[in-house]
Each structure stands twice: as C-alpha cells, then as structure tokens.
Amino acid sequence: MTEASNAPYKRILVLDFETRWDSKTYTLSKLTTESYIRDKRFKAFGVGYKWHGDSDDAIEWVGHSELQRFFDSIDWSETAVLAHNAQFDCAILSWVYGKKPAFIFDSLSMGRALRGIEVGNSLAKLAEEFGLPEKGRAVHSTDGLTELSPAIEQELADYCKHDVFLCEKVFDRLVQGYPTKELRLIDLTLKMFTNPVLELDGQTLVDAIHDERERREGLLAKLNIAESDLASNDKFAAILRQLSVEPPLKKKKATPKTPNPIGHTYAFAKSDALFQALLNGDNEDVALLCEARLAVKSTLERTRAQRFLDISKRGTLPVPLNYYGAHTGRWSASKGSGINLQNLKRGSFLRKSIQAPDGYSLIVADLSQIEPRVLAYLCDYRDLLQIFSSGDDAYSLFGRQMFGVPDLNKKDHPDLRQSAKAALLGCGYGMGWASFSAQLLTGFLGAPPVMYDKAFAKQAGVDKDIFQKFISWDVNVERAMEIPRICTDEEIIIHSVATKQIVDKYRAAAVPVTEFWQMCNELIHISLAGGRERRHKGLIFRKGEIVLPSGLSLKYPDLTAIPDEKGRIQWHYGRDKKKLYGGKIVENIVQAVARCVMTDGMLRIQKRYPVVLTVHDEAVALVPEDEAESAYDFMIDCMTTAPKYMPGIPLAADGGWGKCYGDIK
C-alpha cells in the first residue's frame, strides 16, 4: 500500500528528526520516549526529509528555526510519513508541532514482522542486510549542546540525510508484497501512541499510591520488622526460621552460561508453589509475613502507578505498544516505555485511572475463548465447535464429555467445571501432567492455586487401579516428587494422579487435537526442515516457516535435529536452539491465527471508530457518548464476523462501555 489510488494519502514524506540530548541527565536511555519528548528541555535541531520516489539527491535538511514553517506548509490530510522508529518521529511531529499525518509507515515495525524479533532490526542492521551503504556516524558529538555551530549543524545534517536515504531504500525492499492489512495495523498501533486521547485520573492514582503505602507500612508495623528485612532473601529466610518454618527451596534454573546448575535457591517468588502455600496456609503469622513480603517486593505496581501519575501531569496517555512484538505477531510493550499496557489486571486501580475525555465513552469488545475456538477449527474438532456454536457454557458442556457426567454444570459441579476449563485452555498444546500439576499449585492462568485431594480425585474418576498404575511407574513418582510444593509426599502423589487423570481425559475426549499435534510434528520433518510445501486450513508449511492467513509467517530459522540422551530426535531452531515439537507448533499457530482474527475485527472497527487501546484479546474504541450502545453492538459484530480464511468458525465476544476503563465488564 504505497501511493495507490485507494490509499488514505497522496504522497509519502520520508523524515528523520535530530534532537537535543545530554548523556548525563537527558537521554532516551534514562527517560521514556514520552517523558523525553514532553520534557521542557526538548529541542529538535532539525529534520532530514525527502518525498518518496524523488531522486536520491532531493534529500533536504530543515534547521530548528524553520521547522514550524516547513510543517505548516504541508497538507497533512493527504500526506503519509515514513520513518525508522516512527513512534519517536511522529510523536515529535504531533506533540511538538501539532501535525498528524494521514498515515504512518514504519520500517522498524516492518522489519520486525518480516525478519523476526530476535535478529535486530536497527537501521544499521537492515542496511547491511540489504547491501546498502553503511549507516553514517557524526564525527562531532552534540552531547550536551543546546545550540549548534554552522559546521556541526552541517555535519549533523549530512548524517541525518543519509539516514533518510537508508530508510527509504530499506522501506522499498520491505514493502514489496507486504500485506496491506498489516500496514494498516502498523498505522493503527502508532497512532495509539502519537495521537493519544485517553485521560488519566490523577486523584485515583494519588489515592492508590497512598493506600498501598499505608497498607505496606501497616503490615511492617504489625510484624515489627523493617522493609529491608523483607527485601533481603537471607533476612526473610531468617524470620521464617524464627517462626519455626523452614524456608522453601527450589532447584536453580539453567541459563545459557550454566546449563547444568548445581544447588538450590530460595523459592520466594510469587509464582513459586511453595511460597503460595505459605501465603495461603493456616499459619496466620506466616501468611501475614508473606503478604508483607509481596507488598515490599511489588515495586512494579508502585513504579507503574507513579509513572502513570507523572504522565497525567504532562498530558494524555500515549499507548506504547510494539507491533509484532512477539513471535506469534502479538503486541508487546515498547522497550523503555516504563509501562506495560498489555499487563493491566482487571479491577486494578491502573485500569480505573484510564478515562475517556469529556463527551466520549470507551467501548470494550473482548473475544471469548478465542484460542480454543481457533484450535477446534484448525483440527476439525466438530464436537467442540458444536459446543461453541450452541452459545451455552462451553466449560460445562466440555466437562460433560471429559468426565462422563451428563448433567455437569457450574452450580452443582464447580470443581469439575473448573478442571474442564483449565484443560480446555491449557492442555491443547500438549502440556504434560507434571507441568500442569505445578502450574495448578501456583494458580493456572491467573486462577487461585489448586491442590487436588482424595475427594476430588474420586470425583474425577480416579479409582484404585488408576492410582496403583500411576505409582507402579517409578518415573511418575520421581516426577511428582520434583514438583515444588509444601505438602506431604502422599498429598503431592494424590494431586498428581488427579491432574494426570484430567490430562488423560482431555486427550481421550479431544482426539482431533492429539491428531493435530502429530500432524504438526510430522510437518517439522517434511516441510519446515525438508522443504516440501503442505497446506492446511489457510496455512502454508514450507522451509523454515509457516505462512499465516495475514500473509506474514511464523519463522523457524536454522532448524536442526539433535538426538537426546536416549537417542530420540529433538528439533531445535534459532540462535538459542529453542525446542520445537508438534504441541509447540500448534500453540504458535493457534496464537498467531487468533491474533489474525482479532486484528481483522479491530480494523473493521477502525473504519468507523478510532481504536485507542488493545489488551490481549480486547479492542477498546473511543466513541461519542450518545452512540455508545449502538457502537457496542457494531463492535461486537466486527469482532465476531468469521474471516474468509475460517468460514463458519463460531466466534463470540462480550464487553461493555463507560467513562472509566476499569469499570467496564
């Protein structure tokens, strides 16, 4: 989508800003992009530019004093902007000079999607990749300067103009065949940041910071200990011993430098099952101590709250997301943004601080169970598709199949339904019982920690024969004993047997899913490694990649077969030699296709209302208050329209609308 007749612009301006910086106090390595540009010290020394398609010698430099007049001379309603890391350049254009281009291209985002997120997509690397002249270097540093001499400005201008040249050449190579939908998603993502409209309620943030501090200090006073005692692992362990509790341990994690670590470390993380057991145990003093430990260690929430508050004092909330920030194409938080808007807990004060401006409402449309729906479609799991099509409680209906309980429902069988839900959401990617057991103990997918007992095991269908068969295999017992826990050996065995029963029942009920794992496992050898092209449900498997319905691909570079200790072939890919198997490919495919389905819906919404935020499977749009109800219906329809590449897939979405984002749903 360059200068096509149906494009929302007539011409493309390639540009690159050069700005003031100071390595000691004022630099992007010390500040976020938002705080750097909105800082009173900000100054653009100038901009290099050219009109896309003009000759290479048409690149110009505009100095600081002429910038506003230059930008005022352009009709932005018909002008697109191209930059490398356009989030930075277009934020300057919008926040400092008040100009909003009709469309935004970003060669950095395009490189990330086409080449992968691990290889690096700086302008220098892309220039080298495409055999272009080396990215230049300015001999004289502008570090700490507020004014430029004519000689230094000329040198900076030449350096900047060369970057403009490289940006255009890189773009011309990347844009060939680049999917139009994906270009629109880049534009949508960047405008969430460069054209911010969400407001932050400063008083909500001040109150939350105050309440959190009072709670933390109150816990410390009640325990009569200092914050530093809880922040230190060794001191926290000593306090536990004073309460006659032996500090929980876990094996040290393997790292690239120490692949076979020796010894143990304290299991004091929130995600550690042993710590969760102390936090939720019967010993109130120990539970209170663990709660205080979390309050002291939760610097992330405190820091984010303060950053939200600081942003509220400078203006509206720019949404800092990386388009194609993950292997599967999902968004990620922009590096150095200081806030992760993909990680906002429901009901949190951070969500509640986000508000629509006067006269507008925020509308949320959230896809329901999108991953299991996509998985069911891709593997032709017709029984599950029928369950989703019915519109009834999918977890109860699936639980009836899994456990053979014809009347299973949420009211009368809450534990079985919850287990069916966990299986449906978590076991579709080949997860084994040991991993599932460990995750349940710490809280599976954000749910409260679960430990299955004898009563539940019996309810799930575990009888004496199943139990004896489990413990007769030494490897089962060994794996159960390796699971981090704070319970007896007998209790972890019972929990593991019950968990294995759930996994076994899922696999017995979901035969199309297990067959899909096997198919994908075979395609590693046949297609990803062997190069023979295979097609399945809109996917194309070929050498080193799987082409998605979007036209982009899941990349599996440097695929190699490495035998394990038993001589079995194990596939690995990438610089870090990540393990690849059928279940992992299914997980990657499902998440990537779910992302395609979601973004198709977002782009349909964007045609009528601006999408101003996305969190996981949510699209959030800004609409006039008097259109809220009809806009909600429109957005739900947009999100649940089956795409052409998945005809007939039963989609569902829910949501709501309101002034405060945190109060919706």
Side-chain angles (χ1 to χ4, degrees), residues 445-463:
L445 296 178
V450 171
M451 182 169 210
Y452 294 131
D453 56 15
K454 288 182 179 179
F456 175 82
K458 183 178 180 180
Q459 188 182 22
V462 175
D463 56 23

Side-chain angles (χ1 to χ4, degrees), residues 54 112 151 215 265 304 321 511 517 532 558 573 578 597:
D54 286 356
R112 192 182 296 125
R215 172 178 166 272
T265 187
R304 286 206 299 174
L321 296 176
V511 173
W517 299 343
R532 281 181 283 174
D558 304 321
Y573 73 97
K578 295 179 180 178
V597 174

Side-chain angles (χ1 to χ4, degrees), residues 509-524:
V511 173
V513 175
T514 61
E515 291 176 345
F516 192 40
W517 299 343
Q518 183 59 35
M519 184 195 87
C520 289
N521 203 53
E522 293 170 356
L523 288 175
I524 298 176

Side-chain angles (χ1 to χ4, degrees), residues 137-374:
R137 295 181 181 180
V139 176
H140 293 95
S141 174
T142 58
D143 185 1
L145 298 181
T146 58
E147 301 292 337
L148 303 181
S149 68
I152 291 179
E153 181 170 0
Q154 184 59 56
E155 183 183 324
L156 185 64
D158 292 341
Y159 164 81
C160 180
K161 288 160 66 176
H162 183 63
D163 278 0
V164 171
F165 164 80
L166 291 177
C167 178
E168 181 180 40
K169 297 304 181 185
V170 165
F171 171 76
D172 287 343
R173 286 158 174 78
L174 294 174
V175 79
Q176 297 301 316
Y178 202 93
T180 297
K181 282 185 179 180
E182 294 295 324
L183 291 173
R184 293 185 183 277
L185 278 175
I186 293 173
D187 173 70
L188 181 155
T189 302
L190 291 170
K191 285 179 179 174
M192 289 183 196
F193 186 84
T194 61
N195 299 343
V197 295
L198 297 172
E199 297 182 349
L200 291 170
D201 183 348
Q203 191 58 53
T204 295
L205 293 165
V206 169
D207 291 344
I209 293 171
H210 174 75
D211 291 347
E212 191 278 334
R213 183 175 62 251
E214 283 199 335
R215 172 178 166 272
R216 184 174 74 256
E217 292 175 351
L219 285 170
L220 293 172
K222 187 173 183 178
L223 292 165
N224 194 29
I225 55 179
E227 184 169 315
S228 59
D229 295 332
L230 294 181
S232 163
N233 284 348
D234 290 335
K235 290 181 179 180
F236 181 65
I239 297 172
L240 283 174
R241 291 190 181 98
Q242 291 173 11
L243 295 173
S244 300
V245 174
E246 189 60 29
L249 301 174
K250 60 184 176 182
K251 289 183 177 180
K252 289 184 177 180
K253 284 187 177 182
T255 65
K257 291 185 177 180
T258 55
N260 299 301
I262 299 174
H264 293 74
T265 187
Y266 290 121
F268 290 161
K270 186 178 181 180
S271 58
D272 288 327
L274 302 177
F275 184 82
Q276 281 289 334
L278 295 176
L279 180 66
N280 296 283
D282 295 331
N283 189 320
E284 293 184 4
D285 290 338
V286 173
L288 187 64
L289 181 68
C290 291
E291 183 182 355
R293 159 84 176 189
L294 288 180
V296 168
K297 297 292 284 186
S298 62
T299 56
L300 175 62
E301 284 298 306
R302 277 184 277 164
T303 301
R304 286 206 299 174
Q306 187 60 53
R307 285 176 175 160
F308 269 53
L309 181 59
D310 292 342
I311 292 170
S312 73
K313 296 174 181 177
R314 292 188 290 261
T316 49
L317 173 66
V319 176
L321 296 176
N322 277 341
Y323 160 88
Y324 235 89
H327 180 235
T328 57
R330 290 281 189 174
W331 285 276
S332 67
S334 295
K335 184 178 179 181
S337 63
I339 56 174
N340 183 359
L341 296 184
Q342 292 290 285
N343 185 24
L344 293 176
K345 295 179 181 178
R346 293 194 184 280
S348 70
F349 65 85
L350 292 177
R351 278 193 179 230
K352 291 181 180 296
S353 72
I354 299 175
Q355 310 268 333
D358 289 343
Y360 289 86
S361 293
L362 295 174
I363 317 292
V364 173
D366 187 10
L367 282 172
S368 304
Q369 306 143 342
I370 182 59
E371 289 190 22
R373 291 171 190 267
V374 168

Side-chain angles (χ1 to χ4, degrees), residues 11-29:
R11 54 185 184 171
I12 302 174
L13 181 67
V14 190
L15 60 77
D16 180 46
F17 276 99
E18 298 295 339
T19 62
R20 173 189 174 185
W21 64 289
D22 185 323
S23 59
K24 294 180 179 179
T25 59
Y26 180 59
T27 174
L28 286 169
S29 64

Side-chain angles (χ1 to χ4, degrees), residues 403-592:
F403 296 109
V405 180
D407 62 342
L408 191 151
N409 61 78
K410 185 176 183 179
K411 179 181 178 181
D412 299 323
H413 311 89
D415 292 341
L416 288 180
R417 180 191 176 275
Q418 184 62 32
S419 296
K421 177 180 179 180
L424 189 62
L425 297 176
C427 294
Y429 304 139
M431 182 187 296
W433 65 263
S435 177
F436 195 26
S437 294
Q439 291 191 42
L440 285 168
L441 291 175
T442 59
F444 186 71
L445 296 178
V450 171
M451 182 169 210
Y452 294 131
D453 56 15
K454 288 182 179 179
F456 175 82
K458 183 178 180 180
Q459 188 182 22
V462 175
D463 56 23
K464 183 176 180 181
D465 290 339
I466 291 173
F467 184 83
Q468 288 297 329
K469 184 178 179 180
F470 181 92
I471 64 174
S472 67
W473 286 75
D474 291 343
V475 67
N476 283 346
V477 176
E478 290 172 3
R479 293 177 70 189
M481 292 298 104
E482 291 175 353
I483 297 172
R485 85 277 182 191
I486 184 165
C487 64
T488 66
D489 291 351
E490 180 184 1
E491 287 171 331
I492 195 62
I493 291 294
I494 293 170
H495 173 74
S496 298
V497 173
T499 303
K500 187 175 186 302
Q501 180 76 348
I502 293 172
V503 172
D504 289 346
K505 283 186 173 291
Y506 172 84
R507 293 181 179 184
V511 173
V513 175
T514 61
E515 291 176 345
F516 192 40
W517 299 343
Q518 183 59 35
M519 184 195 87
C520 289
N521 203 53
E522 293 170 356
L523 288 175
I524 298 176
H525 173 73
I526 294 170
S527 300
L528 299 182
R532 281 181 283 174
E533 187 170 290
R534 293 288 189 272
R535 294 174 180 261
H536 177 81
K537 297 277 188 175
L539 302 166
I540 304 173
F541 294 76
R542 61 191 186 199
K543 185 75 171 179
E545 65 177 354
I546 302 171
V547 182
L548 301 165
S550 64
L552 298 175
S553 301
L554 290 167
K555 305 289 186 182
Y556 300 101
D558 304 321
L559 194 61
T560 55
I562 303 174
D564 65 10
E565 64 277 1
K566 295 183 179 180
R568 297 170 299 189
I569 291 298
Q570 302 287 330
W571 291 97
H572 299 77
Y573 73 97
R575 293 182 302 179
D576 298 332
K577 296 300 177 186
K578 295 179 180 178
K579 189 175 179 181
L580 189 64
Y581 50 94
K584 175 55 69 173
I585 288 183
V586 171
E587 180 180 10
N588 289 168
I589 289 172
V590 169
Q591 291 178 353

